[in-house]
Amino acid sequence: MVDTQRKLLLGNLACVHGAIYAGMRFFAGYPITPSTEVAEGCSRELPRIGGRFIQMEDEIGSIGAVVGASVSGVKAMTATSGPGYSLMVENIGYAYMTETPCVIINVQRGGPSTGLPTKGSQSDTMQARWGPHGDYTAIAVAPSTVGDTVTETIRAFNLAERFRTPVTILLDEVISHQREMISLPKPGEHQVVDRVKPTASPEEFEPFAHTAGGVSPMPAYGEGYRYVITGLTHDAMGFTTNRPDEIKLKLDKLRNKILNFKSEITKLRIEMMDDAEIAFVSYGSVSRAVLLAVALARKAGVKVGMIQLYTVWPFPDEELRDYLVGCHKVIVPELNMGQVVREVGRILPPDTEIHSLLRYDGEILTPMQLLEKLEEVM
Amino acid sequence: MTTAEKTKAAPRQRSDVILNYLRPKKKFPNVWCAGCGNGIVMSAIVRAIDKLALSKDEVAMVSGIGCSSRMPIYLDFNALHTTHGRALPFATGIKFAQPHMKVIVITGDGDALAIGGNHFIHACRRNIDITAILVNNYIYGMTGGQGSPTTPTAAFSTTTPYGNAEKHFDPCKLAEAAGASYVARATVYHAPQLEKAIMQAVDHRGFSLVEVISNCHTYFGRLNRLGDAVSMLKEYKEKSVTVARAKRMSPEELKDKHVIGTLYEDDKTEFCDEYQKIVDAQMGEK
């Protein structure tokens, strides 16, 4: 189904294309607006390529089945929205602890609770970082167009496999239900990463070995390694432990395997930042309006630029700081009550002004609103 | 004398069978109380798998949270010790992704029927080829003896200090009604029958449930004055009747009895097989 044809594609179906391109062959999910077309697309496409689709009894079961498929060596994903993600966090936490690669698509809608099923939002940004209880480091990516959604889904799978970790795709209703004309990637156009398999014999194999890169090779069930996977804190052999030194090693591993390789994970889009005195920092669908607003402001002679975060988590502290060095004012527009603005504020020098432009009434931020804000802070 | 030498010297003894399936590098002892029924269940599983001559690599043992759910950690199979109540969805993922695997779920009454109740009925409904071994000790053991969905009415637990006001589930009836295609019951007193039930369940194509009535003398026994492990096992002996005998007994006579043996079996189609037909048809069409 991956071809070079130009295609008018729905955002939610772009996820399906990207995931299949990346090698996804297992989907488990539960219907929820506005993500349902992802499941529907998978139910159509997966049997045609020998894959598996299952509609589970709830979201808790969906992410459970995804982890089960992944430990069986099959690339797996699920798709949901905020209320479903809330149910999934238990087993997403299990995937962090057991270092199981998988992808979770959160097509965000307004909340809390059942909230606004058909309205876009970016209010689960912090949930993608802090959803499950306990200490761990999360990876989350945020596309802003239908085309982005294909490539960011491929990237999400690659990061999940590379770092043996769940990766959340922060989509929102705006992109998920948008149709755009895009070129589907050709085979070979994007790199596809697969998890590293062990070379050690089963007798010498340590399933959660502390390697230089922090990531332990991962065999599939049935390949002769017969190891233990548990959500209890475990040692390098996968056995439960209460030893302080082993507990610390495990938690350090969960953090360091990601933070020590942040440059491989961070992806930013930089527009007109060379001489910019004011910068927008945005992510997700809002970036579309920012791009137009910045272009219009530039025409009027305003030295403004934009930085779009394709990687929201881990937060790109150092890279962002470097790009913002010459700016004395930063505007962070978001479809929530202020989540990423706190992260940006945390990394800015004290003399840089930070402004928030927030919308959480179910409507999108328009280029005009962004220009008004720009004028206000100038 | 090492295990290997023993094996060479004589025909394999029962204890050697068990040793052969214990995880070689695991640090023992286990978490179970002395006299716990879980040991009997574990050895019955191992003997059943040994008799079925399954390769260890093709067995995935999945569990949730609770005393019995620690079992996969001790045995030399592909082990997935998951979250409370969720073993069946994880097992579904393994089985559906690799239908040639033999997937066995170890669960307890709280794990399968309270927090995991929804997953339990839907796994039955799908008739996915998974064997669930439900160790029913009528109580939450690991957390210290709280009431569970199988705690009998009026029974004592640490959260029913004045007697249980609730009704309890019959896991076998629940499984049958929800669509499981093999349902059996045994007690830890009836170890050979338990072994046979597990063999049949694992061999059966479709969702199979083996309910094992097991003693938690530490909590359920103590709080309900049922005595030690031995007296609880004796009670299982006295209170159990076979399916054949139960057919000749009145509902009144069957009150408080454990009916043991194969309670239900059919040959309805299995989920992974049916899905494979869809895959074959769709791939053929391309």
Side-chain angles (χ1 to χ4, degrees):
Chain A
M1 64 164 286
V2 177
D3 58 29
T4 55
Q5 265 182 320
R6 280 186 63 77
K7 209 173 170 97
L8 183 68
L9 196 63
L10 188 74
N12 273 340
L13 294 180
C15 300
V16 181
H17 279 270
I20 289 175
Y21 188 99
M24 184 273 292
R25 293 295 181 271
F26 188 103
F27 181 97
Y30 186 81
I32 184 168
T33 305
S35 77
T36 317
E37 294 87 356
V38 184
E40 289 171 349
C42 288
S43 74
R44 267 194 312 273
E45 298 301 331
L46 284 173
R48 302 178 62 196
I49 53 171
R52 299 274 183 274
F53 166 89
I54 186 167
Q55 184 170 316
M56 292 297 288
E57 50 274 13
D58 58 25
E59 287 87 349
I60 304 169
S62 302
I63 182 72
V66 161
V67 170
S70 185
V71 300
S72 296
V74 181
K75 289 188 188 178
M77 78 166 183
T78 184
T80 187
S81 187
Y85 198 94
S86 293
L87 286 173
M88 284 182 187
V89 292
E90 176 194 46
N91 287 338
I92 296 174
Y94 183 84
Y96 282 121
M97 183 54 121
T98 58
E99 306 187 49
T100 306
C102 58
V103 169
I104 305 109
I105 297 168
N106 180 356
V107 185
Q108 296 169 90
R109 66 194 222 188
S113 190
T114 312
L116 299 162
T118 60
K119 299 279 192 181
S121 171
Q122 296 181 314
S123 50
D124 302 343
T125 312
M126 280 293 172
Q127 191 188 33
R129 171 62 189 88
W130 302 106
H133 59 270
D135 279 321
Y136 54 90
T137 294
I139 301 179
V141 303
S144 63
T145 66
V146 174
D148 276 356
T149 303
V150 177
T151 49
E152 286 305 289
T153 305
I154 298 169
R155 198 165 76 90
F157 271 97
N158 287 348
L159 291 170
E161 293 286 315
R162 162 72 181 85
F163 293 105
R164 273 194 71 172
T165 189
V167 174
T168 300
I169 302 180
L170 283 167
L171 212 61
D172 63 52
E173 196 276 339
V174 181
I175 312 156
S176 75
H177 283 160
Q178 188 157 41
R179 282 185 173 81
E180 285 185 289
M181 190 63 95
I182 65 154
S183 295
L184 290 172
K186 298 179 196 73
E189 190 178 328
H190 294 282
Q191 190 199 1
V192 169
V193 177
D194 294 319
R195 67 194 67 169
V196 173
K197 297 265 182 170
T199 49
S201 68
E203 292 72 32
E204 290 164 348
F205 174 64
E206 283 191 334
F208 297 93
H210 297 279
T211 63
V215 180
S216 322
M218 182 177 179
Y221 275 7
E223 288 180 343
Y225 288 90
R226 299 199 301 275
Y227 65 111
V228 176
I229 302 178
T230 174
L232 288 164
T233 306
H234 45 266
D235 60 16
M237 280 305 295
F239 296 139
T240 58
T241 182
N242 277 315
R243 269 177 51 177
D245 56 338
E246 289 175 346
I247 296 167
K248 187 171 182 303
L249 263 177
K250 173 73 196 186
L251 292 185
D252 284 342
K253 181 176 193 259
L254 292 185
R255 178 188 60 200
N256 295 343
K257 72 174 178 178
I258 291 171
L259 290 192
N260 289 352
F261 299 88
K262 218 163 114 178
S263 59
E264 285 183 51
I265 305 168
T266 296
K267 183 178 163 188
L268 306 173
R269 176 182 183 175
I270 311 296
E271 296 288 347
M272 290 166 273
M273 284 299 295
D274 287 348
D275 60 343
E277 290 165 1
I278 306 175
F280 281 100
V281 176
S282 66
Y283 58 100
S285 63
V286 173
S287 311
R288 307 163 70 102
V290 173
L291 193 62
L292 183 57
V294 167
L296 291 171
R298 278 278 172 179
K299 273 187 188 164
V302 184
K303 287 190 174 172
V304 60
M306 76 173 275
I307 301 173
Q308 179 183 346
L309 315 176
Y310 279 111
T311 305
V312 180
W313 308 116
F315 200 74
D317 293 21
E318 300 80 10
E319 296 86 339
L320 199 56
R321 199 181 284 128
D322 288 348
Y323 281 111
L324 291 172
V325 139
C327 296
H328 55 271
K329 286 171 184 174
V330 174
I331 306 169
V332 184
E334 296 179 81
L335 299 178
N336 56 43
M337 295 179 91
Q339 298 193 9
V340 160
V341 67
R342 295 160 66 108
E343 294 296 306
V344 179
R346 183 173 57 75
I347 61 142
L348 288 179
D351 55 342
T352 312
E353 274 181 35
I354 181 157
H355 298 273
S356 204
L357 176 57
L358 307 174
R359 189 153 193 188
Y360 41 87
D361 60 355
E363 298 299 313
I364 58 171
L365 278 168
T366 64
M368 283 314 293
Q369 285 171 314
L370 292 160
L371 287 170
E372 280 164 22
K373 186 71 184 179
L374 181 60
E375 232 171 277
E376 182 193 313
V377 307
M378 265 164 60
Chain B
M1 194 151 91
T2 67
T3 315
E5 285 165 349
K6 255 195 217 168
T7 313
K8 268 184 212 163
R12 201 145 75 163
Q13 300 295 309
R14 245 165 89 143
S15 58
D16 295 329
V17 175
I18 308 291
L19 278 176
N20 183 40
Y21 287 90
L22 289 181
R23 195 172 285 286
K25 290 179 188 168
K26 177 70 188 113
K27 296 167 250 177
F28 281 92
N30 59 49
V31 298
W32 301 324
C33 304
C36 176
N38 283 332
I40 297 171
V41 180
M42 186 161 89
S43 60
I45 292 169
V46 161
R47 290 194 308 274
I49 287 173
D50 194 64
K51 283 189 181 159
L52 289 168
L54 302 178
S55 121
K56 290 176 184 174
D57 286 334
E58 67 175 325
V59 176
M61 193 167 272
V62 187
S63 65
I65 297 295
C67 294
S68 57
S69 287
R70 290 295 180 101
M71 202 180 291
I73 296 177
Y74 307 133
L75 293 177
D76 190 16
F77 304 113
N78 300 284
L80 196 66
H81 176 242
T82 73
T83 46
H84 196 21
R86 318 299 177 204
L88 282 166
F90 285 91
T92 299
I94 295 170
K95 181 70 192 184
F96 195 31
Q98 296 200 81
H100 65 275
M101 297 281 284
K102 286 282 183 189
V103 182
I104 300 171
V105 166
I106 312 295
T107 184
D109 40 304
D111 194 57
L113 303 174
I115 191 163
N118 196 30
H119 307 306
F120 181 74
I121 57 173
H122 286 277
C124 292
R125 175 182 62 79
R126 273 183 204 107
N127 195 35
I128 186 165
D129 184 28
I130 291 171
T131 296
I133 297 169
L134 195 165
V135 183
N136 180 5
N137 59 7
Y138 303 102
I139 210 155
Y140 287 84
M142 186 160 272
T143 48
Q146 296 78 24
S148 90
T150 58
T151 303
T153 305
F156 295 104
S157 72
T158 56
T159 50
T160 57
Y162 310 113
N164 185 18
E166 296 190 20
K167 302 287 183 285
H168 66 274
F169 268 140
D170 177 336
C172 292
K173 280 186 181 165
L174 183 64
E176 184 189 334
S181 51
Y182 178 92
V183 179
R185 185 186 287 121
T187 84
V188 286
Y189 176 81
H190 302 87
Q193 291 94 323
L194 172 60
E195 180 188 321
K196 193 179 147 207
I198 295 169
M199 277 182 76
Q200 287 176 351
V202 173
D203 211 30
H204 175 83
R205 185 96 190 144
F207 190 86
S208 49
L209 171 74
V210 179
E211 181 196 357
V212 194
I213 291 164
S214 181
N215 58 300
C216 177
H217 49 284
T218 304
Y219 290 111
F220 192 73
R222 190 164 47 84
L223 293 167
N224 292 285
R225 300 181 185 279
L226 300 173
D228 61 7
V230 175
S231 5
M232 287 184 80
L233 261 67
K234 277 183 182 162
E235 194 191 314
Y236 298 151
K237 180 192 176 190
E238 284 152 18
K239 283 193 171 176
S240 296
V241 292
T242 61
V243 171
R245 218 181 103 199
K247 278 181 186 156
R248 301 190 300 269
M249 290 167 73
S250 69
E252 202 52 37
E253 289 171 315
L254 280 170
K255 209 166 167 265
D256 294 328
K257 293 282 190 288
H258 306 303
V259 180
I260 59 168
T262 306
L263 302 174
Y264 182 78
E265 191 170 11
D266 69 29
D267 59 356
K268 66 168 81 87
T269 56
E270 192 272 335
F271 167 68
C272 297
D273 292 341
E274 291 303 295
Y275 195 87
Q276 190 57 48
K277 287 179 194 165
I278 295 171
V279 170
D280 291 343
Q282 291 304 313
M283 289 186 81
E285 259 179 32
K286 262 206 305 191

